[in-house]
Amino acid sequence: VQLVESGGGSVQAGGSLRLSCTASVRIFSILGWFRQAPGKEREFVAAIHRTGSHKYYSDSVKGRFTMSRDIARNTVYLQMNGLKPEDAAVYYCATGARYGSRNAADFGSWGQGTQVTVSS
């Protein structure tokens, strides 16, 4: 499985970005977003079930970030609103098989990441 992220960039605090992740295969169970800031561990952000009907988020982004998917395009999106400086990181998408997991070890294929920078 190949995953390609896009949509990162630089915004001011309070701004918005929409990240995209396109998969090379149509069928996957779970697709998640993680992020990693310099000097920190990779952190779970959000994940969506392949049906698109079930999603879950980390407490730090709940209410600000929304995940969705376009089945026809094999693409999932992460709409990020109300960005804060602490949201700055490289964002990665990854495929998983355990719904509800927030552990990076439960996710197999990873994209190359897209940088998000948030200035205060």
Short mmCIF file of all heavy atoms in Angstrom, two decimals, residues 8-52:
data_model
loop_
_atom_site.label_atom_id
_atom_site.label_comp_id
_atom_site.label_asym_id
_atom_site.label_seq_id
_atom_site.Cartn_x
_atom_site.Cartn_y
_atom_site.Cartn_z
N GLY A 8 -0.13 20.21 3.46
CA GLY A 8 0.54 20.92 4.54
C GLY A 8 0.95 22.32 4.11
O GLY A 8 0.90 22.68 2.94
N GLY A 9 1.34 23.13 5.09
CA GLY A 9 1.76 24.48 4.79
C GLY A 9 1.95 25.28 6.06
O GLY A 9 2.00 24.72 7.16
N SER A 10 2.04 26.57 5.89
CA SER A 10 2.24 27.48 7.02
C SER A 10 1.02 28.36 7.18
O SER A 10 0.55 28.96 6.20
CB SER A 10 3.48 28.36 6.79
OG SER A 10 4.64 27.58 6.71
N VAL A 11 0.53 28.45 8.41
CA VAL A 11 -0.62 29.30 8.71
C VAL A 11 -0.38 30.00 10.02
O VAL A 11 0.46 29.58 10.82
CB VAL A 11 -1.95 28.50 8.79
CG1 VAL A 11 -2.30 27.89 7.45
CG2 VAL A 11 -1.88 27.46 9.89
N GLN A 12 -1.16 31.02 10.26
CA GLN A 12 -1.13 31.70 11.55
C GLN A 12 -2.09 30.98 12.50
O GLN A 12 -3.02 30.30 12.07
CB GLN A 12 -1.53 33.16 11.39
CG GLN A 12 -0.49 33.99 10.67
CD GLN A 12 -0.81 35.47 10.72
OE1 GLN A 12 -1.98 35.86 10.77
NE2 GLN A 12 0.23 36.29 10.71
N ALA A 13 -1.84 31.16 13.77
CA ALA A 13 -2.72 30.57 14.78
C ALA A 13 -4.16 30.99 14.53
O ALA A 13 -4.42 32.17 14.21
CB ALA A 13 -2.27 31.00 16.17
N GLY A 14 -5.07 30.04 14.64
CA GLY A 14 -6.47 30.29 14.35
C GLY A 14 -6.86 29.95 12.93
O GLY A 14 -8.06 29.91 12.61
N GLY A 15 -5.88 29.72 12.09
CA GLY A 15 -6.14 29.42 10.69
C GLY A 15 -6.53 27.96 10.47
O GLY A 15 -6.66 27.18 11.41
N SER A 16 -6.70 27.63 9.18
CA SER A 16 -7.17 26.29 8.81
C SER A 16 -6.31 25.71 7.70
O SER A 16 -5.75 26.46 6.88
CB SER A 16 -8.62 26.34 8.33
OG SER A 16 -9.49 26.79 9.35
N LEU A 17 -6.23 24.40 7.68
CA LEU A 17 -5.61 23.66 6.59
C LEU A 17 -6.40 22.38 6.39
O LEU A 17 -7.03 21.87 7.33
CB LEU A 17 -4.16 23.29 6.92
CG LEU A 17 -3.09 24.36 6.83
CD1 LEU A 17 -1.76 23.84 7.37
CD2 LEU A 17 -2.91 24.85 5.40
N ARG A 18 -6.35 21.85 5.18
CA ARG A 18 -6.95 20.55 4.92
C ARG A 18 -5.87 19.63 4.34
O ARG A 18 -5.33 19.91 3.26
CB ARG A 18 -8.12 20.63 3.96
CG ARG A 18 -8.86 19.28 3.85
CD ARG A 18 -10.07 19.34 2.95
NE ARG A 18 -9.72 19.29 1.53
CZ ARG A 18 -10.56 18.91 0.57
NH1 ARG A 18 -11.78 18.54 0.88
NH2 ARG A 18 -10.17 18.91 -0.68
N LEU A 19 -5.60 18.57 5.05
CA LEU A 19 -4.64 17.58 4.60
C LEU A 19 -5.37 16.48 3.84
O LEU A 19 -6.51 16.14 4.16
CB LEU A 19 -3.89 16.97 5.78
CG LEU A 19 -3.18 17.93 6.72
CD1 LEU A 19 -2.41 17.14 7.78
CD2 LEU A 19 -2.26 18.86 5.98
N SER A 20 -4.70 15.94 2.84
CA SER A 20 -5.23 14.82 2.07
C SER A 20 -4.28 13.64 2.13
O SER A 20 -3.06 13.83 2.22
CB SER A 20 -5.42 15.22 0.60
OG SER A 20 -6.28 16.32 0.47
N CYS A 21 -4.85 12.45 2.08
CA CYS A 21 -4.05 11.23 2.02
C CYS A 21 -4.71 10.31 1.01
O CYS A 21 -5.85 9.90 1.21
CB CYS A 21 -3.96 10.57 3.38
SG CYS A 21 -3.12 8.96 3.37
N THR A 22 -3.98 10.02 -0.06
CA THR A 22 -4.51 9.15 -1.11
C THR A 22 -3.81 7.81 -1.05
O THR A 22 -2.58 7.73 -1.02
CB THR A 22 -4.32 9.79 -2.49
OG1 THR A 22 -5.03 11.03 -2.52
CG2 THR A 22 -4.85 8.88 -3.58
N ALA A 23 -4.61 6.75 -1.04
CA ALA A 23 -4.08 5.40 -0.96
C ALA A 23 -4.05 4.75 -2.34
O ALA A 23 -4.91 5.03 -3.19
CB ALA A 23 -4.93 4.56 0.00
N SER A 24 -3.09 3.86 -2.53
CA SER A 24 -2.96 3.18 -3.82
C SER A 24 -3.93 2.01 -3.96
O SER A 24 -4.09 1.47 -5.06
CB SER A 24 -1.53 2.69 -4.02
OG SER A 24 -1.18 1.75 -3.00
N VAL A 25 -4.56 1.62 -2.85
CA VAL A 25 -5.52 0.53 -2.89
C VAL A 25 -6.86 1.02 -2.38
O VAL A 25 -6.93 1.95 -1.57
CB VAL A 25 -5.06 -0.69 -2.05
CG1 VAL A 25 -3.80 -1.30 -2.65
CG2 VAL A 25 -4.84 -0.31 -0.59
N ARG A 26 -7.92 0.36 -2.85
CA ARG A 26 -9.26 0.82 -2.50
C ARG A 26 -9.68 0.36 -1.11
O ARG A 26 -10.43 1.04 -0.43
CB ARG A 26 -10.25 0.32 -3.54
CG ARG A 26 -11.68 0.83 -3.35
CD ARG A 26 -12.56 0.38 -4.49
NE ARG A 26 -12.12 0.94 -5.75
CZ ARG A 26 -12.48 2.14 -6.19
NH1 ARG A 26 -13.30 2.88 -5.48
NH2 ARG A 26 -12.05 2.58 -7.35
N ILE A 27 -9.22 -0.81 -0.72
CA ILE A 27 -9.73 -1.39 0.51
C ILE A 27 -8.70 -1.28 1.62
O ILE A 27 -7.58 -1.73 1.48
CB ILE A 27 -10.10 -2.88 0.31
CG1 ILE A 27 -11.18 -3.00 -0.76
CG2 ILE A 27 -10.56 -3.49 1.62
CD1 ILE A 27 -11.53 -4.42 -1.10
N PHE A 28 -9.06 -0.66 2.69
CA PHE A 28 -8.27 -0.70 3.92
C PHE A 28 -9.27 -0.63 5.07
O PHE A 28 -10.37 -0.15 4.91
CB PHE A 28 -7.26 0.45 3.99
CG PHE A 28 -7.87 1.81 3.81
CD1 PHE A 28 -8.48 2.47 4.88
CD2 PHE A 28 -7.83 2.46 2.59
CE1 PHE A 28 -9.04 3.73 4.71
CE2 PHE A 28 -8.39 3.71 2.42
CZ PHE A 28 -9.00 4.35 3.48
N SER A 29 -8.88 -1.11 6.20
CA SER A 29 -9.79 -1.16 7.33
C SER A 29 -9.90 0.19 8.03
O SER A 29 -10.97 0.76 8.15
CB SER A 29 -9.35 -2.23 8.32
OG SER A 29 -10.24 -2.28 9.42
N ILE A 30 -8.74 0.66 8.46
CA ILE A 30 -8.68 1.93 9.19
C ILE A 30 -7.62 2.79 8.53
O ILE A 30 -6.58 2.30 8.10
CB ILE A 30 -8.26 1.70 10.66
CG1 ILE A 30 -9.14 0.66 11.32
CG2 ILE A 30 -8.25 3.01 11.45
CD1 ILE A 30 -10.58 1.06 11.44
N LEU A 31 -7.86 4.08 8.45
CA LEU A 31 -6.80 4.98 8.04
C LEU A 31 -6.70 6.08 9.09
O LEU A 31 -7.71 6.70 9.43
CB LEU A 31 -7.05 5.57 6.65
CG LEU A 31 -5.75 6.09 6.03
CD1 LEU A 31 -5.71 5.83 4.55
CD2 LEU A 31 -5.53 7.55 6.33
N GLY A 32 -5.50 6.26 9.58
CA GLY A 32 -5.29 7.21 10.67
C GLY A 32 -4.32 8.31 10.31
O GLY A 32 -3.54 8.20 9.35
N TRP A 33 -4.38 9.37 11.09
CA TRP A 33 -3.42 10.46 11.01
C TRP A 33 -2.64 10.50 12.32
O TRP A 33 -3.22 10.41 13.40
CB TRP A 33 -4.12 11.80 10.81
CG TRP A 33 -4.65 12.04 9.43
CD1 TRP A 33 -5.92 11.86 9.00
CD2 TRP A 33 -3.91 12.51 8.30
NE1 TRP A 33 -6.02 12.19 7.67
CE2 TRP A 33 -4.80 12.61 7.21
CE3 TRP A 33 -2.58 12.89 8.09
CZ2 TRP A 33 -4.41 13.04 5.94
CZ3 TRP A 33 -2.20 13.32 6.83
CH2 TRP A 33 -3.11 13.39 5.78
N PHE A 34 -1.36 10.65 12.19
CA PHE A 34 -0.47 10.85 13.32
C PHE A 34 0.35 12.12 13.04
O PHE A 34 0.41 12.58 11.90
CB PHE A 34 0.49 9.67 13.50
CG PHE A 34 -0.17 8.43 14.03
CD1 PHE A 34 -0.97 7.64 13.23
CD2 PHE A 34 0.02 8.04 15.34
CE1 PHE A 34 -1.58 6.49 13.71
CE2 PHE A 34 -0.58 6.89 15.85
CZ PHE A 34 -1.38 6.12 15.03
N ARG A 35 0.98 12.62 14.06
CA ARG A 35 1.87 13.76 13.86
C ARG A 35 3.09 13.62 14.76
O ARG A 35 3.04 12.96 15.80
CB ARG A 35 1.15 15.08 14.15
CG ARG A 35 0.71 15.27 15.60
CD ARG A 35 -0.16 16.52 15.73
NE ARG A 35 -0.56 16.76 17.11
CZ ARG A 35 -1.44 17.69 17.46
NH1 ARG A 35 -2.02 18.47 16.53
NH2 ARG A 35 -1.74 17.85 18.73
N GLN A 36 4.16 14.25 14.32
CA GLN A 36 5.40 14.19 15.10
C GLN A 36 6.09 15.53 15.02
O GLN A 36 6.45 15.99 13.92
CB GLN A 36 6.31 13.08 14.60
CG GLN A 36 7.52 12.84 15.49
CD GLN A 36 8.23 11.54 15.16
OE1 GLN A 36 8.07 10.98 14.07
NE2 GLN A 36 9.00 11.03 16.12
N ALA A 37 6.27 16.15 16.16
CA ALA A 37 6.99 17.40 16.27
C ALA A 37 8.45 17.10 16.62
O ALA A 37 8.75 16.03 17.16
CB ALA A 37 6.37 18.28 17.35
N PRO A 38 9.36 18.01 16.31
CA PRO A 38 10.78 17.76 16.60
C PRO A 38 11.02 17.44 18.07
O PRO A 38 10.51 18.13 18.95
CB PRO A 38 11.44 19.08 16.22
CG PRO A 38 10.55 19.67 15.20
CD PRO A 38 9.16 19.28 15.61
N GLY A 39 11.73 16.36 18.31
CA GLY A 39 12.06 15.98 19.68
C GLY A 39 10.94 15.29 20.43
O GLY A 39 11.10 14.99 21.62
N LYS A 40 9.82 15.03 19.76
CA LYS A 40 8.69 14.39 20.43
C LYS A 40 8.35 13.07 19.75
O LYS A 40 8.71 12.84 18.60
CB LYS A 40 7.47 15.31 20.41
CG LYS A 40 7.66 16.58 21.24
CD LYS A 40 6.37 17.35 21.36
CE LYS A 40 6.52 18.56 22.25
NZ LYS A 40 5.23 19.30 22.41
N GLU A 41 7.61 12.23 20.46
CA GLU A 41 7.18 10.97 19.90
C GLU A 41 6.02 11.19 18.93
O GLU A 41 5.32 12.20 18.99
CB GLU A 41 6.74 10.02 21.02
CG GLU A 41 7.88 9.56 21.91
CD GLU A 41 7.45 8.49 22.89
OE1 GLU A 41 6.25 8.17 22.95
OE2 GLU A 41 8.32 7.97 23.61
N ARG A 42 5.86 10.21 18.04
CA ARG A 42 4.73 10.27 17.12
C ARG A 42 3.44 10.15 17.92
O ARG A 42 3.29 9.29 18.78
CB ARG A 42 4.85 9.16 16.08
CG ARG A 42 3.95 9.33 14.89
CD ARG A 42 4.38 8.47 13.73
NE ARG A 42 5.67 8.91 13.19
CZ ARG A 42 6.17 8.47 12.04
NH1 ARG A 42 5.51 7.58 11.33
NH2 ARG A 42 7.34 8.90 11.62
N GLU A 43 2.48 11.02 17.59
CA GLU A 43 1.26 11.17 18.38
C GLU A 43 0.04 10.89 17.51
O GLU A 43 -0.07 11.41 16.39
CB GLU A 43 1.20 12.60 18.93
CG GLU A 43 -0.07 12.98 19.63
CD GLU A 43 -0.16 14.48 19.91
OE1 GLU A 43 0.56 15.25 19.25
OE2 GLU A 43 -0.95 14.87 20.78
N PHE A 44 -0.90 10.12 18.03
CA PHE A 44 -2.15 9.87 17.32
C PHE A 44 -2.97 11.16 17.22
O PHE A 44 -3.05 11.92 18.19
CB PHE A 44 -2.96 8.80 18.06
CG PHE A 44 -4.34 8.62 17.52
CD1 PHE A 44 -4.57 7.88 16.37
CD2 PHE A 44 -5.43 9.21 18.16
CE1 PHE A 44 -5.84 7.72 15.87
CE2 PHE A 44 -6.71 9.06 17.67
CZ PHE A 44 -6.92 8.32 16.51
N VAL A 45 -3.60 11.35 16.06
CA VAL A 45 -4.46 12.52 15.85
C VAL A 45 -5.91 12.10 15.62
O VAL A 45 -6.82 12.56 16.32
CB VAL A 45 -3.96 13.36 14.65
CG1 VAL A 45 -4.91 14.52 14.37
CG2 VAL A 45 -2.55 13.87 14.90
N ALA A 46 -6.14 11.25 14.63
CA ALA A 46 -7.50 10.87 14.27
C ALA A 46 -7.44 9.62 13.40
O ALA A 46 -6.41 9.30 12.82
CB ALA A 46 -8.20 11.99 13.51
N ALA A 47 -8.59 8.93 13.32
CA ALA A 47 -8.66 7.77 12.45
C ALA A 47 -10.10 7.59 11.98
O ALA A 47 -11.05 8.04 12.64
CB ALA A 47 -8.16 6.51 13.15
N ILE A 48 -10.25 6.91 10.86
CA ILE A 48 -11.56 6.70 10.27
C ILE A 48 -11.67 5.26 9.80
O ILE A 48 -10.71 4.68 9.28
CB ILE A 48 -11.80 7.69 9.11
CG1 ILE A 48 -13.24 7.66 8.63
CG2 ILE A 48 -10.83 7.41 7.95
CD1 ILE A 48 -13.58 8.83 7.69
N HIS A 49 -12.85 4.68 9.99
CA HIS A 49 -13.12 3.35 9.48
C HIS A 49 -13.37 3.44 7.97
O HIS A 49 -13.81 4.48 7.48
CB HIS A 49 -14.34 2.76 10.19
CG HIS A 49 -14.60 1.33 9.89
ND1 HIS A 49 -15.48 0.94 8.90
CD2 HIS A 49 -14.08 0.19 10.41
CE1 HIS A 49 -15.51 -0.38 8.84
NE2 HIS A 49 -14.67 -0.86 9.75
N ARG A 50 -13.11 2.34 7.26
CA ARG A 50 -13.22 2.36 5.80
C ARG A 50 -14.61 2.74 5.32
O ARG A 50 -14.78 3.26 4.23
CB ARG A 50 -12.82 1.01 5.21
CG ARG A 50 -13.69 -0.15 5.64
CD ARG A 50 -13.19 -1.45 5.01
NE ARG A 50 -13.91 -2.61 5.50
CZ ARG A 50 -15.08 -3.00 5.01
NH1 ARG A 50 -15.63 -2.33 4.01
NH2 ARG A 50 -15.66 -4.06 5.51
N THR A 51 -15.63 2.49 6.14
CA THR A 51 -16.99 2.86 5.74
C THR A 51 -17.19 4.38 5.84
O THR A 51 -18.15 4.91 5.28
CB THR A 51 -18.03 2.18 6.63
OG1 THR A 51 -17.83 2.62 7.98
CG2 THR A 51 -17.89 0.67 6.57
N GLY A 52 -16.33 5.04 6.58
CA GLY A 52 -16.47 6.47 6.77
C GLY A 52 -17.45 6.85 7.86
O GLY A 52 -17.58 8.02 8.21
#
